[in-house]
Amino acid sequence: MTTAPKAVSDDHVVIFDTTLRDGEQSPGATMSHEEKLEIAALLDEMGVDVIEAGFPIASEGDFNAVSEIAKNSKNSVICGLSRANFKDIDRCWEAVKHAARPRIHTFIGTSPLHRAIPNLDQDQMAERIHETVTHARNLCDNVQWSPMDATRTEHDYLCRVVEIAIKAGATTINIPDTVGYTAPRESADLIRMLIEKVPGADQVIFATHCHNDLGMATANSLAAVEAGARQIECTINGLGERAGNTALEEVVMALKVRHDIMPWTTGIDTRKIMNISRRVASVSGFPVQFNKAIVGKNAFAHESGIHQDGMLKNAETFEIMRPEDVGLAATNLVMGKHSGRAALKDKLRQLGVEMADNQLQDVFVRFKALADRKKEVYDDDILALVQVSDDATPDHLILTDLTVICGTGGQSADMTMTVDGVAKTAQTSGDGPVDAAFNAVKEIFPHEAKLELYQVHAVTKGTDAQATVSVRLNEDGRIVTGSSADTDTVVASVKAYIHALNRLLVRRGKVAAGGDEREISYKDAG
Ligand code: KIV
Ligand code: ZN
């Protein structure tokens, strides 16, 4: 089998986004079907070259999401992950084949530790790689192969298996730093060594896939590009297991801002970065750390006197990129209860959020309710409304009334909630108002789910600020996240809790009907 020639020019770096596969694999980051489609559409629109949409053999849910994303794709290549066996690869192809530009990604762990899992010796594994890549290439002319844990694989063996994969027809060779162990110089040396030593290396694209366990994922990815890699695998906000993956926004902005020393381009419309970052944070339930590079709340905030003074004289004094380059509009127009739909729509557009009319109506209703209670509604308030608004989860449980008593005399809650349309009430006490209110939810709707995360953020300054609350629940390994926003912190907390329970009910239903649960982990390689 001959390989297809490289499809990109030498100065273009392919951006391969794996938010929906490696990112979504992170415990607690599970997204609903609709959310995955929404994120895939945003990735496609922002110019991501390849979207890794999921792991089709893992569950019916993954398969359906990848197929649907493939059908809806406009420009991006749609890729699915598969282990090194024919059944996985066939299932992957069934899902991605609907895309205008499909890709099969197949992998196997090649380091000594990973070879021990399927109990294959070096020769047996080499044979498996030859068979599976050949099989994938007979189905699809765009095949990516990854030696998992490449950075801890013996160099001779790595060269040998990469050569086999190229000869069998792989068009992209991805070199994963699965456990986030490598460092920039080593990352570059490894890619350089493969390009120099492996016959046929000039016919394929080398990719870098870094995890961030030592905080070096971005540096390692860029070093790999310096050495000749032309595909970076990454996720929005660096989402992913443990310390996450390389953050898309970081590598893309580094290549843009430091084009003088890293002369490679990407096809990403960087003005779409903030919007997708917020959506991924919201649907995954993984908030972005305030001082996170590029997309953190403080990334462009200059609060110290010296900085503010410098910024007023010349923005370049302290700013290496403009907020608007990443889709952060400098809008100071405060909204209030007299602002209409058109003003809200315009404000959202300035904030980089495009919405269909039905979604806008939902946000508008919430905006009016908020403006009635809060004199001035700021940009962050509006973004908080957007983040909790467009969720298609059916409301089995709805909060209809809540009175909480708190203070030095103790805390209690009096709650009414409908459960599938039937009103139920409870009076409970607890250690604090939120605990009392959560106890009421448990009394009305008994369940075994454990609270794994309860997180509150004030959206703006001031005591009338909205609180955004995230709640993560775990029921027998099914992990769901709920979120809500309200000027009343206890109400926001209860709504986030109920949102998570509603999502749990959907997950339970899907399992009962044939399984959305992931039965297979990508770590069971082989
Ligand atoms: O980190 C890793 O090795 C992976 C592979 C499946 C590419 O995610
Ligand atoms: Zn990974």
Side-chain angles (χ1 to χ4, degrees), residues 10-13 225-226 230 254-255 258-266:
D10 275 350
D11 64 1
H12 180 82
V13 173
V225 170
E226 301 239 13
R230 285 295 175 270
L255 289 174
R258 296 311 313 273
H259 193 72
D260 54 332
I261 53 164
M262 293 184 282
W264 301 285
T265 53
T266 73

Side-chain angles (χ1 to χ4, degrees), residues 47-83:
V48 162
D49 301 280
V50 187
I51 299 173
E52 187 162 53
F55 183 18
I57 195 94
S59 71
E60 280 295 309
D62 270 48
F63 179 85
N64 293 336
V66 178
S67 312
E68 202 71 14
I69 289 168
K71 285 177 195 155
N72 296 344
S73 59
K74 295 198 172 74
N75 302 307
S76 309
V77 170
I78 304 300
C79 173
L81 183 69
S82 51
R83 292 167 302 177

Side-chain angles (χ1 to χ4, degrees), residues 302 304-318:
H302 298 273
S304 87
I306 296 174
H307 282 215
Q308 280 182 349
D309 186 47
M311 289 290 293
L312 287 173
K313 291 187 178 122
N314 178 358
E316 282 180 23
T317 323
F318 287 106

Side-chain angles (χ1 to χ4, degrees), residues 291-303:
N291 57 341
K292 163 86 180 60
I294 318 294
V295 291
K297 204 176 160 76
N298 292 354
F300 291 91
H302 298 273
E303 296 209 352

Side-chain angles (χ1 to χ4, degrees), residues 287-361:
V288 174
Q289 115 199 15
F290 280 13
N291 57 341
K292 163 86 180 60
I294 318 294
V295 291
K297 204 176 160 76
N298 292 354
F300 291 91
H302 298 273
E303 296 209 352
S304 87
I306 296 174
H307 282 215
Q308 280 182 349
D309 186 47
M311 289 290 293
L312 287 173
K313 291 187 178 122
N314 178 358
E316 282 180 23
T317 323
F318 287 106
E319 223 167 53
I320 57 165
M321 53 198 152
R322 293 175 313 161
E324 46 279 32
D325 290 344
V326 298
L328 198 62
T331 70
N332 296 318
L333 181 67
V334 179
M335 309 276 287
K337 66 177 171 192
H338 300 298
S339 312
R341 262 173 69 101
L344 179 66
K345 189 170 181 173
D346 192 47
K347 168 67 89 176
L348 285 168
R349 206 184 33 73
Q350 290 172 41
L351 293 171
V353 182
E354 300 287 345
M355 293 204 141
D357 279 353
N358 58 337
Q359 286 173 307
L360 179 69
Q361 181 54 25

Side-chain angles (χ1 to χ4, degrees), residues 409-524:
Q411 297 82 29
S412 61
D414 188 342
M415 180 182 292
T416 306
M417 212 164 91
T418 58
V419 180
D420 286 323
V422 180
K424 301 193 173 186
T425 57
Q427 282 93 34
T428 48
S429 57
D431 287 335
V434 175
D435 191 48
F438 279 22
N439 286 341
V441 174
K442 272 183 242 154
E443 192 168 307
I444 294 175
F445 184 73
H447 56 271
E448 294 298 319
K450 299 257 175 316
L451 183 69
E452 284 205 333
L453 173 97
Y454 168 67
Q455 202 162 248
V456 186
H457 285 300
V459 173
T460 53
K461 294 173 186 162
T463 47
D464 67 343
Q466 283 193 95
T468 52
V469 179
S470 303
V471 164
R472 190 180 306 145
L473 299 177
N474 183 342
E475 184 188 65
D476 296 333
R478 276 191 289 274
I479 299 172
V480 288
T481 309
S483 56
S484 188
D486 201 285
T487 47
D488 184 318
T489 308
V490 185
V491 171
S493 303
V494 171
K495 284 187 175 166
Y497 189 13
I498 291 177
H499 183 212
L501 285 172
N502 279 325
R503 288 181 141 191
L504 196 58
L505 291 175
V506 173
R507 298 277 299 279
R508 278 187 194 163
K510 281 196 180 148
V511 177
D516 176 43
E517 277 322 81
R518 203 164 264 158
E519 282 132 25
I520 293 170
S521 150
Y522 85 103
K523 291 190 190 115
D524 318 323

Side-chain angles (χ1 to χ4, degrees), residues 108-112 115 122 125-126 129 145-166 173-178 182 186-195 197-199 201 206-207:
I108 194 161
T110 50
S111 66
R115 287 200 301 267
Q122 290 196 353
M125 182 164 285
I129 293 163
W145 180 73
S146 296
M148 186 163 73
D149 207 13
T151 52
R152 293 191 299 169
T153 300
E154 306 91 324
H155 285 189
D156 285 356
Y157 189 58
L158 190 62
C159 287
R160 176 176 168 202
V161 287
V162 167
E163 183 179 350
I164 290 171
I166 295 175
I173 300 291
N174 176 37
I175 302 300
D177 182 30
T178 306
T182 198
E186 191 182 57
S187 170
D189 288 347
L190 187 60
I191 296 287
R192 203 172 289 116
M193 187 269 297
L194 289 167
I195 292 177
K197 283 200 175 158
V198 176
F206 277 87

Side-chain angles (χ1 to χ4, degrees), residues 24 47 54 74-75 78 118 122-123 132 139 156-157 167 244-245 253 267-268 278 314 342 366 396 414 426 454 464 512:
E24 209 251 352
K74 295 198 172 74
N75 302 307
I78 304 300
Q122 290 196 353
D123 292 341
T132 49
L139 297 169
D156 285 356
Y157 189 58
K167 285 205 173 115
N245 291 65
M253 289 312 289
I268 301 295
R278 290 183 190 119
N314 178 358
R366 287 160 178 266
H396 291 282
D414 188 342
Y454 168 67
D464 67 343

